[in-house]
Amino acid sequence: MKIKAVCPRDCYGGCSLILEVEEGRIIKVYGDKENRATEGLICRKGLEYIDRNYGRNRIKRH
Ligand code: SF4
């Protein structure tokens, strides 16, 4: 399934993202080409959301 989203960092008004999700898990993240401002481009931080979300060193509680 593909889900449209917006990067929460909101650097330049929020880049549009497409998240590909399988069995409740994000498997791919890329820019949405339908966004006329960003035309599918996202930065490295946006591309690394999978690692950020599922990374082994992610802090899950405090
Ligand atoms: S994808 Fe990158 S440039 Fe775009 S809003 Fe997110 S952090 Fe900022």
Side-chain angles (χ1 to χ4, degrees):
M1 147 189 356
K2 290 182 182 178
I3 298 173
K4 287 186 175 242
V6 177
C7 180
R9 289 192 169 108
D10 199 20
C11 303
Y12 307 103
C15 295
S16 300
L17 308 176
I18 302 290
L19 311 179
E20 289 191 17
V21 178
E22 281 184 14
E23 298 178 4
R25 191 175 176 93
I26 301 167
I27 58 164
K28 196 170 182 181
V29 177
Y30 48 92
D32 185 354
K33 292 182 179 174
E34 290 184 6
N35 183 309
R36 290 183 291 167
T38 58
E39 298 180 334
L41 295 175
I42 57 174
C43 75
R44 183 180 180 95
K45 289 183 281 186
L47 290 170
E48 291 180 343
Y49 271 120
I50 292 176
D51 285 340
R52 184 180 171 87
N53 204 43
Y54 303 126
R56 190 168 58 95
N57 295 324
R58 178 182 172 194
I59 298 172
K60 297 179 181 167
R61 60 183 162 205
H62 56 97

